[in-house]
Amino acid sequence: MKTNIFYHAGCTVCKSAENEILQLTKGDNLEIVHLGDQPERIQNAEKEGVKSVPAIVTSSGTVLHINYGASLEDLKN
Amino acid sequence: MKTNIFYHAGCTVCKSAENEILQLTKGDNLEIVHLGDQPERIQNAEKEGVKSVPAIVTSSGTVLHINYGASLEDLKN
């Protein structure tokens, strides 16, 4: 079964969004990726179309950017 | 039980987001409000903190703005 991936960077906005997403999805079929802790996954997130975090890449491949978070460019520095 | 409310305006971006949100939440406990069809709900959406659509106001009152949609100001015109 394909998974929805929630990308975040541990910031306050991200944690708040994470809590809401967990509530909305009940955590079903959801992978949570902290790009600050797992920078090796930034490149793949970009390939999937992620421009900023927090964002969800759904199992269908659609990227939902949530609120106005951190640019991936900023996470590389 | 408190409800999550998904606000949208019927645009392509909104419909795509709606499909993804329905998939993520399985439609559980989710009210979908089309502000183009129900402009009387714009004022309340603003009070809840919605700045643009598509957006979700979760049952805890947190607003998650999704992608870069239509400003509520544009919907009033």
Side-chain angles (χ1 to χ4, degrees):
Chain A
M1 192 172 180
K2 283 204 160 192
T3 306
N4 306 296
I5 307 176
F6 178 73
Y7 288 106
H8 73 110
C11 55
T12 311
V13 169
C14 291
K15 294 303 282 183
S16 168
E18 180 182 342
N19 289 337
E20 301 306 324
I21 295 299
L22 281 171
Q23 182 261 119
L24 284 169
T25 63
K26 301 175 185 69
D28 283 358
N29 204 26
L30 184 70
E31 182 185 9
I32 294 174
V33 176
H34 187 315
L35 290 176
D37 291 343
Q38 300 180 70
E40 71 278 9
R41 297 198 57 173
I42 293 178
Q43 193 178 7
N44 201 53
E46 282 187 318
K47 276 189 198 156
E48 292 172 326
V50 174
K51 305 285 189 205
S52 63
V53 287
I56 299 175
V57 179
T58 69
S59 54
S60 67
T62 302
V63 183
L64 302 178
H65 292 99
I66 299 170
N67 292 337
Y68 306 105
S71 162
L72 287 196
E73 291 305 313
D74 295 333
L75 294 180
K76 292 178 185 171
N77 302 325
Chain B
M1 193 171 181
K2 283 203 156 188
T3 307
N4 306 296
I5 307 176
F6 178 74
Y7 289 105
H8 74 110
C11 55
T12 310
V13 169
C14 290
K15 294 302 281 182
S16 168
E18 179 182 341
N19 289 337
E20 300 305 325
I21 295 298
L22 281 172
Q23 182 260 120
L24 284 170
T25 64
K26 302 175 185 69
D28 283 358
N29 204 25
L30 184 70
E31 182 185 8
I32 294 173
V33 175
H34 187 316
L35 290 176
D37 291 343
Q38 299 179 68
E40 71 277 10
R41 297 198 56 173
I42 292 178
Q43 193 178 6
N44 202 51
E46 281 187 318
K47 278 189 197 156
E48 293 173 325
V50 174
K51 305 284 188 203
S52 63
V53 287
I56 298 176
V57 179
T58 69
S59 54
S60 67
T62 302
V63 183
L64 302 178
H65 293 99
I66 299 168
N67 292 337
Y68 307 105
S71 162
L72 287 196
E73 290 305 312
D74 295 335
L75 294 180
K76 293 178 184 172
N77 302 324

